[in-house]
Amino acid sequence: MTAFKTIRVRAEKRKGGPKALAKLLPAKPDPKALAKLGDDQILAEMTKRVFCAGFAWSVIESKWPGFEKAFLGFKPGPLTLQPDDFWDGLMKDIRIVRNGAKIMSVRANAGFVRDVAKEHGSFGKFLADWPSSDQAGLLELLAKRGSRLGGNTGQMMLRFLGWDGFVTSRDVVLCLRDAGLDIAETVTSKRDLAKVQAQFNEWAEETGLSYVQLSRICALSIGENYSAEKLVSLGADE
């Protein structure tokens, strides 16, 4: 495998030097801040990532105030008590994107968040206690117990909530493959995800960097060399 130092140097050259690259890196995630997130904030982010999947993010963002009202502020308790008529009504609610499967995922995920909060004090505390060295295990749990939270959706949810993890985006996977990791062009199997996890664990040990920083450097080291302004406009530059 290529040493991470080599990958970082390549990213620095592409972005204009060490200082320029440093400005593009996120701060190290704060587990204490994550633990303080309310369960409504967790469910809201879950919902946003589910609806953004395969859809224009800008449309979801523009309609988000309507989502918040339609889904009762994303409070898991009240949502789990709503009858079928409430959810049927949302299928016709113009305040939101009327995708039946995604709307019903909110109902399921409200129960998921509530159950985990009962087990751990809050969903944020549960996430804060889960080690970055086992992101693969966390993603498996999200896929099994949550609704529509598998794959990239779960990864992006964790990223936006402030959990310290990698994202298996096109450029990150391209970087890993270029470095010598034997994985498919699209990481979907448990086998490939385990390999990615092991490599990020090794790089974290080697560099002392957070997983989100390692992932970002990987993405910036290869593929389309976007400007800093373009990266900001993309929102998620991996």
Side-chain angles (χ1 to χ4, degrees):
M1 287 293 297
T2 301
F4 194 78
K5 180 180 179 181
T6 301
I7 295 171
R8 180 163 191 163
V9 168
R10 187 173 68 211
E12 290 172 348
K13 289 180 179 179
R14 282 163 53 91
K15 296 304 172 186
K19 290 183 179 180
L21 177 64
K23 291 180 180 179
L24 296 174
L25 299 184
K28 187 174 183 179
D30 180 5
K32 291 183 179 180
L34 178 57
K36 292 179 180 178
L37 289 179
D39 291 331
D40 58 332
Q41 293 173 284
I42 300 289
L43 181 58
E45 195 58 54
M46 280 184 181
T47 303
K48 185 176 286 189
R49 292 310 122 207
V50 167
F51 274 86
C52 280
F55 209 81
W57 290 19
S58 59
V59 174
I60 304 302
E61 289 290 352
S62 68
K63 296 176 84 65
W64 196 247
F67 273 81
E68 292 179 331
K69 292 178 182 178
F71 288 106
L72 309 180
F74 295 104
K75 297 185 183 302
L79 281 174
T80 58
L81 298 176
Q82 297 307 307
D84 291 344
D85 287 349
F86 171 82
W87 300 98
D88 290 340
L90 289 175
M91 306 296 183
K92 307 169 187 175
D93 196 327
I94 62 173
R95 294 174 297 178
I96 64 175
V97 172
R98 289 163 287 174
N99 179 299
K102 292 187 177 185
I103 288 171
M104 294 312 294
S105 77
V106 183
R107 187 180 200 177
N109 285 331
F112 172 40
V113 171
R114 180 201 58 191
D115 291 345
V116 171
K118 286 181 179 179
E119 296 166 11
H120 299 271
S122 75
F123 204 99
K125 291 179 180 178
F126 160 72
L127 289 179
D129 288 339
W130 195 286
S132 297
S133 58
D134 185 28
Q135 180 174 338
L138 178 54
L139 292 172
E140 183 176 7
L141 182 146
L142 291 173
K144 285 184 176 180
R145 295 186 60 179
S147 176
R148 304 180 74 91
L149 296 177
N152 186 257
T153 298
Q155 293 177 22
M156 295 307 296
M157 182 204 81
L158 293 173
R159 173 61 56 82
F160 278 94
L161 285 172
W163 191 81
D164 186 20
F166 55 80
V167 173
T168 54
S169 68
R170 179 186 60 186
D171 285 346
V172 170
V173 172
L174 182 60
C175 171
L176 288 163
R177 284 166 55 87
D178 181 75
L181 195 64
D182 180 22
I183 55 175
E185 292 182 5
T186 302
V187 174
T188 57
S189 70
K190 288 185 178 181
R191 174 179 172 276
D192 279 355
L193 189 60
K195 288 184 177 182
V196 173
Q197 181 75 72
Q199 189 56 54
F200 272 99
N201 289 350
E202 184 177 318
W203 280 341
E205 182 69 23
E206 173 190 334
T207 65
L209 293 170
S210 66
Y211 287 69
V212 66
Q213 291 170 336
L214 291 167
S215 184
R216 184 68 53 82
I217 292 170
C218 271
L220 297 177
S221 74
I222 205 165
E224 186 71 31
N225 194 7
Y226 294 112
S227 66
E229 293 75 16
K230 180 64 174 178
L231 288 174
V232 171
S233 71
L234 289 173
D237 47 2
E238 291 171 59

